[in-house]
Structure formats: structure tokens, C-alpha cells
Amino acid sequence: MGPPPFLLGLVMAVVALGFLGPVLESTDWNPTILAAFGVEAPASLEYAEGLLGEVHPRAGLGHDGKFFFAQAIDPWLSDRATLEAVIDLPIYRAQRMFYPMLAGVFGLAPPGVVVWMLVLVNVAAFGFGTWVTALVARGMGASSMWGLAFPVNLGVWSELLVSGAGVVALAASLAAVAALQRGSLVGGMAALSLSALSREVMLLCAFGIAVWMWRKNAKRAAVYLLTTPVAVTIGWALYVRSRLGWTAGTDQVSVIGWPFQGLAGAIDSWLGSPIDLAVGLVVLVLLVVFTVRSLTRDRLVGWMALGFVPLAFVLTELVWTDFFDITRAVAPVITAFVLVSFAGDRGSDEITANLARGTDGSVPSYRLTRRPWRGR
């Protein structure tokens, strides 16, 4: 039903490139504008100018891309002094390694290539995310056109504009759902691990998926799907600390606070900004409606994003105040909401059918390789 998912993904990658085209054209095709170096962050700006020459900075502090540029240049964290000088929260940000690792071609790409790769990796991830979301929609018995639930996500577009890791992270989590719908446990484990290595908060997706699988009596699969990305994330965290210093790094997490405190603090700011107010209220309604629909319709893709609902209410005022940041923070909810609300009523998840074909009617089968794996 609908166009081929891969073709849909390819078209949306071209659309993403077209969307970024005017921004690049405004700087005579200098991609540093999308790396979001800031005039008020001289350390990272001077670092980039030393490697690239001409840099087109943005007003203020800039955004995520400037840090990912430094990580992509040195993804194995070999130069601690430089990283600590140009990255504000080095341990916290170094945890998010997969996107800059790709952009830096595992540390092999020169700076001029890296700054372009930050853009192109996200464009490719935008197309890939659309493709796997279309596969998820088909697995739910709906048209592949519901794959557009990925590109209609405002949070994803925001990530494109600042070379953030959220595009890669969300695409990987949706790839895990698509893999599980087709019975590939290894595919699900690998995709969830890469998602967590893109943004550690994506472990919430692994947790939600594992809970759903456990409730469906796929208990061994649930354990694998949770413990594998957790173990991978911990393994990289230990490597990060071996390079940047043995500290918990909890003092570098500045976006988590007391429940509802950040939301309450943002309300005053919203009153002075109609756009932020409108988006903030929409996000609040979305979180409530999504929670109800996910629990009542019981779709795997809904449970994948369900953990981001309680997370939203402990985010700080810094995140809630600006629509740009809050939509990025709850991006998994936005895409999952579209699928659960619209595509979810048009058929059954393929994974449910897989579960029904278990060895005794209640135990599922999943492929670890090409051969079926039987949970017990």
C-alpha cells in the first residue's frame, strides 16, 4: 500500500537537502552556518576558524553542531585539553558519539569534509528515518505514506538546522521497531544501541519496547532489547571517562530538574511569545492525548516513545521556554503520535502476528540470524 518505502525515503532526503539549500546559498555554500558556531562562544569559534578558515557564525552561543564538529574531528577523544576547551560539557556531550563518529568517518576525515558530513549525514538520516517509518506503517497494516510521520515532525527539522544528533537517534529507534515487526531481534538490538549512542536518553525507547515485549510474553527478547543498548551505553561511558576523567558527570546534565518546575517557569516566558505559547500548549495536549492512545491502542511504536512523556515534565525551564528546544526534546512522541492515532487503526502490527505464531500460541519467535529464535 502506497509508494515503495525506500523511494519515499529518497524523496524526503532530497526535500531535506532542498530545505537546507537556501540557508547554504546565503553563505555562498559554506556549511559552517549549519554547524551553528556562535559569536558568543569564542573558544569553539576560534577552534573552527583555525581548522577551516572562514566560518559563518550565528548570533549568541550557537548550538549543538559546534560541539559535534569538535567530536567528529576527534571522535576517539584523544586530545582531552582541546575538547575540554571547546566543549562546554565534554563528558555529557561525548556520550553522544554515533553521529559525530559518522560525520568524522571514524576520525579519518579532514576538517573541510567533516563540516559537510555533519550536514549530509543528517540529510541521509532524514531519508532513512522516513523509509523505516514507512516500513513501520506497513507493518501496522497502513499505507507507506504514513512514513511522512517522520518528516512532519518539527523537532526533526530543528535538528537539521543545528546539526543535532536527534535525526539519527530517532531514525535508529524507528528502525528497531521496523526490525522487530519483521522478527529480527538482532536488528532491533543493534538499532536501539546505535540510537542510545546518538542520544543516551533514547534508552527510554529501549525500555518502552522491552516493557511491551515482556507484556506480550516475549520475555527473553525483552531482556536482550533492554540490556544490550544499556551495556553498550555503559561501555562507551567508561571509555569516555577513561579519556576525559573519572567522574560521574551528573553535574553536566543541565536539562533535568524537579517535576513540573521547568514547565511552570516557562509559562511567564510564553506569555511574551505567542509562538512559544501556542507550541507549548500543543505539546502539553499532545503528551496527554498520546499517553491515553498509546495505553489504549497498545501499539509497539507507541510504547517506544511513551517514556518521553514523564521525561517532558522534569525538563528544565531552559528546554520548555523555546518551542525550538521542546519539540526536539519530545520528537519521538510527535512521530509516534501520528502513527498511533492514524496509521494504528488501519491494521494490526506485524509483530503481533509474529507473536501469535509462537511455539505454543503465546511464546514468540524472533530471528537472531536467518534462523528463527524461539523464546522460552
Side-chain angles (χ1 to χ4, degrees):
M1 292 179 287
F6 181 79
L7 178 61
L8 189 64
L10 185 62
V11 169
M12 292 314 302
V14 173
V15 169
L17 196 57
F19 169 74
L20 297 176
V23 180
L24 291 167
E25 188 176 16
S26 70
T27 61
D28 196 24
W29 298 95
N30 187 324
T32 57
I33 187 64
L34 293 174
F37 298 100
V39 294
E40 295 181 13
S44 59
L45 181 57
E46 291 170 8
Y47 172 75
E49 288 173 337
L51 293 173
L52 299 168
E54 184 181 13
V55 173
H56 287 267
R58 302 190 186 189
L61 294 171
H63 229 295
D64 291 4
K66 64 182 180 182
F67 302 125
F68 284 127
F69 174 74
Q71 288 176 245
I73 294 295
D74 183 14
W76 301 108
L77 314 176
S78 58
D79 187 350
R80 176 177 176 177
T82 297
L83 292 173
E84 289 181 340
V86 301
I87 298 177
D88 59 346
L89 306 169
I91 289 179
Y92 169 73
R93 297 193 185 278
Q95 189 64 47
R96 304 177 174 189
M97 56 77 73
F98 185 55
Y99 170 55
M101 191 72 77
L102 290 177
V105 194
F106 300 91
L108 299 176
V113 172
V114 167
V115 73
W116 271 110
M117 287 292 288
L118 288 170
V119 178
L120 296 178
V121 167
N122 263 349
V123 168
F126 192 88
F128 178 78
T130 304
W131 173 39
V132 294
T133 305
L135 292 176
V136 171
R138 279 197 171 179
M140 298 169 72
S143 168
S144 61
M145 286 299 292
W146 288 110
L148 297 178
F150 190 89
V152 300
N153 191 329
L154 180 60
V156 174
W157 290 102
S158 298
E159 295 281 359
L160 283 176
L161 288 170
V162 298
S163 294
V167 187
V168 174
L170 180 56
S173 283
L174 288 162
V177 176
L180 292 170
Q181 284 179 330
R182 285 151 183 78
S184 176
L185 180 61
V186 164
M189 292 159 56
L192 288 173
S193 297
L194 294 178
S195 182
L197 288 175
S198 301
R199 289 181 68 205
E200 70 289 343
V201 73
M202 301 304 280
L203 286 173
L204 290 172
C205 294
F207 179 76
I209 287 173
V211 170
W212 190 91
M213 299 285 284
W214 187 277
R215 291 172 55 248
K216 301 295 181 179
N217 293 320
K219 294 183 178 180
R220 186 182 296 183
V223 171
Y224 285 148
L225 289 165
L226 181 58
T227 58
T228 301
V230 167
V232 169
T233 301
I234 291 174
W236 179 254
L238 293 174
Y239 178 80
V240 168
R241 283 153 181 80
S242 74
R243 308 300 294 180
L244 301 180
W246 292 97
T247 175
T250 53
D251 59 320
Q252 298 191 17
V253 180
S254 59
V255 296
I256 302 295
W258 292 104
F260 301 101
Q261 186 179 46
L263 174 59
I267 293 176
D268 286 340
S269 299
W270 287 353
L271 297 178
S273 173
I275 294 179
D276 290 330
L277 174 62
V279 174
L281 293 176
V282 168
V283 168
L284 282 173
V285 172
L286 181 71
L287 292 172
V288 174
V289 175
F290 172 71
T291 300
V292 173
R293 291 189 174 179
S294 293
L295 294 176
T296 56
R297 298 183 181 181
D298 201 24
R299 301 295 181 188
L300 176 60
V301 71
W303 280 84
M304 177 207 76
L306 200 55
F308 285 83
V309 175
L311 174 69
F313 293 106
V314 296
L315 294 174
T316 61
E317 182 179 347
L318 179 68
V319 180
W320 271 104
T321 297
D322 194 329
F323 78 90
F324 183 87
D325 289 318
I326 190 59
T327 53
R328 294 169 66 216
V330 299
V333 171
I334 298 173
T335 291
F337 171 79
V338 174
L339 292 171
V340 171
S341 297
F342 303 105
D345 280 341
R346 301 183 59 183
S348 298
D349 285 290
E350 181 63 25
I351 193 169
T352 305
N354 287 340
L355 290 166
R357 290 196 294 267
T359 54
D360 60 3
S362 62
V363 181
S365 62
Y366 289 99
R367 293 194 303 274
L368 277 174
T369 55
R370 291 178 178 273
R371 309 180 79 178
W373 174 79
R374 303 282 180 184
R376 289 185 173 86

